[in-house]
């Protein structure tokens, strides 16, 4: 038999060469990746160490301004309390009147010369840039005046010194809860321009330090904002001063942030960028979002930006472990520190692509060298395989093709290398023996196939029969539960009717006795007749109720054992099911609601629908409301859309776990097997909807949120549709 060409697409030589080439290539690539990883690891270690040093120093640098502000407040607070104590009970009315003047708008303010500048008599101290404001209807006590005078002296003493950092601290102000405000503000006469009816307590830089918003009474920081007067972004630091639980003053600083923003954007490591944000995700500085932050007045929240990279960065920083400084992301490093004071996150983003250059060059050299080695190995392997493997295998292929054609004679194996002593030779000898065995096997195979097929068909029929019997048993069990409920429900009206009939008999005998007497007492006769009338009405009412129950049960029982297509009122079918199960629900706190048009009449199989609804209600009672121990709502919502009836059945029970929800329509699946559950209720419902009604049924649920079954199936409006 001629050999197949070695360059055939299905040649073993070609396949082996490809597989070996792939394996060797994988090894080369693995070595390359390991080398790349090793180089990257060394570079990464160095970068992480440098980033840690850089971010720590950067955090200390950027925190210095805020720390200085808090230190200033601590000094001011200590000196204020000291001077207030030294003043004792002194009543500084004369000095107060020299500093403040009442105005026609009801406020009391410092005159303009305190802002424009004048030399204070006696001390020779020049006072300027200072304004003060006392709101309308403020009752000034001696204690308040003492606080105002001490504050005034403190501002004149401390403000000029701190104002030397005008590019950092443009002002120093003190507010009091009595609508009083004194401020040293360069080039801004705040106290002169403030409207008379201003509500100081509503200003964020005042409210942030009151007892409601700051119960711990510590130094706090406002959110950053853009000040149109200073034309700068700023943040306010506020320190409340309390004595014996009384809020005396709040010390305040505004901190200018433009230079911080410029440093954040421009002062960075090459190839990196910096950003600042709050713990709640409010973005402070980002080189690509400066305009957006300015346009939105600083109200840019990272979770609302829709930027997945920025959101992921924020989530990682928010969940950083204590003591961790550098985070490793998929394609970047995040160096994280906190700016003391406002507790903002300062993050430096270092892309890993900066490290890849040198590591990539090294890996590329290793890869090229490996590929050259691969080419040499493949050529050598090809020459060996062609001689030692490919030619013998072609001989095996010829023998195999003959056997496949049904030839089992000795000439089939005459070309095999039976004399070789290696694996190929042993394979040839095994093949020789196998050819004889195959002949015997083929002779008996057909008979075994027929026998096994018959056994399999028998088992399938048996399983199908068993499943149908179980389903029918479950249907009869459901009907049995209806009978038990009906019997219990019917017992009450019949019992009442029997009792009232007994009363009728007694009153009838009593009237007969009266009529046998010579004289009949009209009042006794009328009383007996009234009792007879009342008993007759009660008997009639209860017998009608019993007749209604019998009629409802008759329809339900007959329908559930019938597959007849007939017209029916959908709402009546639902009410019949509810009435039949009334005994099971009447002692529970379960409310049943039906949202269905009374005039909705369709042609379908009412028995199947009744059994479905019965199973759903029993399921809700047992599983959703734990045998009626819990209260809630069961709701039927019915609508007709394009000749398809939609029924949404829902309850507010305990819901279904996700694992159980996936298997809810599987046969024999139940979470209540210990209490006798068969696991066929929902399976029967699903099969009735899909098989008999030709519809669909789905279930939606989660634990604690009840369950919703959506059922829809086609209906007709006459028997001929």
């Amino acid at each position: 038999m001629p050999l197949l060409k070695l360059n055939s697409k299905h040649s073993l030589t070609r396949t082996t060469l490809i597989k070996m080439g792939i394996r060797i290539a994988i090894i080369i690539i693995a070595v390359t990746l390991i080398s790349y990883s090793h180089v990257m690891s060394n570079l990464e270690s160095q970068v992480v160490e440098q980033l840690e040093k850089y971010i720590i120093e950067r955090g200390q640098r950027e925190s210095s301004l805020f720390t200085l502000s808090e230190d200033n407040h601590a000094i001011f607070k200590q000196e204020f309390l000291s001077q207030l104590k030294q003043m004792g009970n002194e009543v500084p009315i004369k000095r107060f009147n020299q500093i403040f003047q009442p105005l026609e708008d009801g406020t009391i303010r410092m005159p303009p010369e305190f802002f424009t500048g004048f030399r204070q008599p006696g001390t020779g101290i020049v006072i300027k840039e200072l304004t003060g404001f006392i709101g309308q209807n403020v009752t000034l006590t001696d204690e308040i005046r003492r606080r105002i005078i001490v504050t005034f002296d403190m501002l004149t003493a401390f403000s000029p010194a701190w104002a030397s950092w005008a590019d950092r601290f443009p002002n120093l102000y003190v507010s009091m809860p009595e609508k009083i405000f004194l401020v040293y503000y360069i080039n801004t006469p705040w106290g002169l321009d403030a409207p008379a009816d201003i509500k100081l307590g509503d200003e964020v830089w005042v409210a942030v330090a009151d007892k409601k918003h700051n119960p711990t009474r510590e130094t706090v920081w406002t959110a950053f904002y853009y000040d149109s007067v200073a034309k700068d972004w700023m943040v306010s630091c506020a320190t409340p001063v309390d004595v014996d639980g009384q809020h005396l003053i709040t010390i305040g600083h505004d901190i200018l942030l433009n230079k911080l923003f410029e440093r954040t954007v421009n002062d960075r490591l090459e190839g990196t960028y910096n950003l600042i944000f709050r713990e709640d995700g409010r973005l402070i500085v980002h080189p690509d979002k400066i305009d957006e932050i300015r346009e939105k007045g600083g109200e840019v929240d990272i979770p609302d930006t829709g930027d997945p990279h920025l959101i992921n960065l924020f989530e990682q920083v928010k969940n950083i472990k204590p003591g961790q400084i550098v985070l490793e992301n998929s394609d970047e490093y995040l160096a994280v520190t906190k700016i003391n004071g406002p507790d903002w996150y300062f993050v430096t983003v270092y892309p890993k692509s900066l490290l890849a250059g040198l590591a990539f060059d090294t890996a590329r050299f290793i890869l090229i060298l490996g590929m050259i080695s691969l080419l040499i190995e493949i050529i050598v392997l090809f020459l060996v395989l062609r001689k030692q493997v490919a030619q013998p295998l072609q001989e095996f292929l010829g023998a195999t093709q003959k056997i496949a054609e049904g030839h089992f004679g000795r000439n089939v194996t005459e070309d095999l290398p039976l004399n070789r002593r290696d694996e190929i030779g042993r394979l040839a000898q095994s093949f020789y023996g196998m050819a004889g065995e195959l002949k015997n096997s083929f002779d008996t195979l057909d008979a075994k196939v027929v026998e096994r097929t018959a056994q399999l068909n028998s088992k399938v029929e048996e399983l199908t029969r068993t499943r149908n019997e179980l389903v029918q048993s479950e249907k009869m069990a459901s009907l049995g539960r209806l009978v038990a409920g009906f019997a219990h429900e019917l017992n009450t009206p019949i019992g009442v009717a029997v009792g009232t009939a007994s009363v009728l008999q007694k009153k009838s005998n009593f009237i007969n006795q009266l009529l046998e007497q010579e004289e009949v007492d009209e009042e006794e006769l009328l009383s007996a007749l009234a009792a007879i009338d009342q008993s007759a009405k009660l008997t009639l009412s209860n017998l009608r109720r019993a007749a209604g129950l019998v009629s409802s049960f008759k329809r339900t029982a007959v329908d559930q054992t019938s597959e007849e297509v007939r017209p029916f009122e959908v709402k009546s079918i639902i009410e019949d099911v509810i009435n039949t199960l009334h005994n099971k629900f009447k002692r529970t706190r379960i409310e049943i609601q039906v949202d269905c048009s009374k005039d909705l009449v369709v042609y379908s199989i009412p028995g199947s629908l009744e059994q479905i609804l019965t199973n759903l209600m029993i399921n809700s009672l047992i599983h959703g409301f734990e045998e009626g121990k819990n209260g809630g709502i069961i709701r039927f919502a019915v609508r007709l859309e394009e000749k398809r009836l939609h029924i949404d059945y829902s309850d507010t029970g305990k819901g279904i776990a996700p694992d159980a929800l996936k298997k809810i329509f599987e046969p024999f699946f139940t979470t209540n097997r210990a209490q006798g559950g068969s696991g066929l209720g929902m399976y029967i419902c699903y099969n009735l909807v899909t098989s008999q009604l030709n519809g669909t049924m789905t279930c939606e649920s989660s634990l604690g949120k009840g369950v919703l079954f959506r059922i829809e199936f086609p209906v007709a409006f006459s028997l001929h549709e």
Side-chain angles (χ1 to χ4, degrees), residues 6-280:
L6 291 177
N7 61 356
S8 170
K9 291 184 178 180
H10 303 288
S11 167
L12 178 62
T13 301
R14 182 176 183 273
T15 304
T16 304
L17 287 173
I18 291 174
K19 291 181 178 179
M20 290 299 296
I22 291 173
R23 285 170 172 78
I24 297 173
I26 290 173
I27 294 173
I28 293 172
I29 293 172
V31 171
T32 303
L33 292 176
I34 292 171
S35 301
Y36 178 82
S37 176
H38 178 68
V39 175
M40 281 291 293
S41 177
N42 290 338
L43 292 174
E44 287 171 354
S45 299
Q46 297 173 13
V47 168
V48 169
E49 184 177 352
Q50 292 174 0
L51 278 177
E52 287 181 351
K53 293 179 180 178
Y54 169 79
I55 202 67
I56 291 173
E57 294 173 358
R58 189 65 183 266
Q60 293 172 348
R61 174 186 175 188
E62 303 301 354
S63 298
S64 60
L65 179 63
F66 301 98
T67 304
L68 178 61
S69 177
E70 293 183 350
D71 292 343
N72 288 346
H73 281 209
I75 295 171
F76 193 102
K77 176 180 178 180
Q78 182 179 1
E79 185 64 23
F80 172 84
L81 293 175
S82 175
Q83 290 192 24
L84 186 64
K85 184 176 181 181
Q86 289 177 8
M87 183 172 283
N89 295 324
E90 178 185 344
V91 182
I93 296 178
K94 180 178 179 181
R95 191 168 174 215
F96 176 85
N97 292 334
Q98 291 174 346
I99 299 174
F100 284 89
Q101 295 178 355
L103 301 181
E104 294 180 356
D105 60 5
T107 65
I108 303 174
R109 309 186 191 225
M110 294 172 62
E113 54 265 24
F114 283 90
F115 179 75
T116 57
F118 78 99
R119 192 174 299 277
Q120 192 174 20
T123 64
I125 299 174
V126 176
I127 300 176
K128 63 177 181 177
E129 313 290 357
L130 193 63
T131 58
F133 172 89
I134 301 175
Q136 297 171 332
N137 303 319
V138 176
T139 302
L140 294 173
T141 64
D142 293 339
E143 187 271 336
I144 293 176
R145 290 188 179 93
R146 283 193 288 271
R147 274 190 276 151
I148 293 174
I149 295 302
V150 171
T151 299
F152 174 82
D153 292 340
M154 294 283 294
L155 289 176
T156 57
F158 283 82
S159 297
W162 291 346
S164 60
W165 291 295
D167 60 337
R168 300 180 181 181
F169 307 126
N171 56 32
L172 175 64
Y173 53 84
V174 174
S175 65
M176 301 181 191
E178 295 86 1
K179 295 194 296 185
I180 300 171
F181 188 76
L182 283 77
V183 58
Y184 182 92
Y185 205 153
I186 298 174
N187 299 326
T188 304
W190 195 95
L192 297 175
D193 297 339
D197 58 349
I198 186 173
K199 296 181 180 180
L200 281 175
D202 294 341
E203 298 294 333
V204 63
W205 33 269
V206 174
V208 73
D210 62 25
K211 291 186 176 181
K212 176 182 177 182
H213 298 92
N214 184 11
T216 61
R217 316 310 290 151
E218 298 176 350
T219 298
V220 292
W221 294 83
T222 66
F224 82 109
Y225 56 92
Y226 186 79
D227 189 291
S228 58
V229 176
K231 292 183 171 46
D232 204 337
W233 290 96
M234 59 177 58
V235 64
S236 300
C237 178
T239 301
V241 179
D242 294 11
V243 173
D244 297 331
Q246 180 186 358
H247 184 189
L248 301 181
I249 64 172
T250 296
I251 309 165
H253 255 151
D254 290 339
I255 310 297
L256 300 179
L257 299 177
N258 265 4
K259 290 194 174 182
L260 171 62
F261 291 178
E262 290 174 3
R263 287 196 305 273
T264 302
V265 175
N266 301 322
D267 185 2
R268 55 189 174 82
L269 297 175
E270 185 178 357
T272 69
Y273 67 91
N274 304 318
L275 67 152
I276 301 175
F277 53 83
R278 292 192 327 206
E279 282 189 336
D280 61 358

Side-chain angles (χ1 to χ4, degrees), residues 371-440:
M371 289 301 165
I372 294 173
S373 301
L374 173 62
L375 181 60
I376 295 172
E377 290 168 359
I378 288 177
I379 292 173
V380 173
L381 184 61
F382 170 75
L383 297 175
V384 173
L385 285 176
R386 184 174 63 175
K387 178 66 176 177
Q388 298 296 324
V389 177
Q391 291 179 359
L393 287 182
Q394 291 293 342
E395 295 171 354
F396 275 107
L397 181 60
T400 304
Q401 289 175 345
K402 289 180 180 179
I403 291 176
E405 293 170 359
H407 304 295
F408 296 97
R410 290 185 176 275
N411 62 331
V412 172
T413 58
E414 61 184 5
D415 295 328
L416 294 180
L418 297 172
N419 297 325
R420 287 181 59 163
R421 298 184 179 277
D422 56 10
E423 288 82 355
I424 297 293
R426 289 196 293 271
L427 178 61
Q429 294 170 4
S430 298
F431 190 89
Y432 179 79
M434 182 186 66
E437 293 293 333
L438 280 175
K439 189 177 186 314
N440 296 331

Side-chain angles (χ1 to χ4, degrees), residues 644-717:
R644 292 187 72 86
L645 189 66
H646 295 256
I647 301 176
D648 290 345
Y649 173 89
S650 60
D651 69 40
T652 58
K654 67 180 183 180
I656 304 172
D659 291 342
L661 187 62
K662 297 176 182 177
K663 305 176 182 178
I664 190 169
F665 295 127
E666 294 182 5
F668 309 111
F669 174 75
T670 179
T671 58
N672 199 34
R673 197 170 303 280
Q675 283 72 39
S678 66
L680 288 172
M682 288 298 99
Y683 171 71
I684 290 174
C685 289
Y686 184 80
N687 273 276
L688 288 174
V689 172
T690 57
S691 299
Q692 289 197 5
L693 300 181
N694 296 320
T696 61
M697 181 177 186
T698 60
C699 179
E700 303 170 10
S701 180
S702 59
L703 285 176
K705 295 186 178 180
V707 68
L708 169 62
F709 287 94
R710 297 186 185 276
I711 302 170
E712 63 166 297
F713 55 90
V715 294
F717 299 100

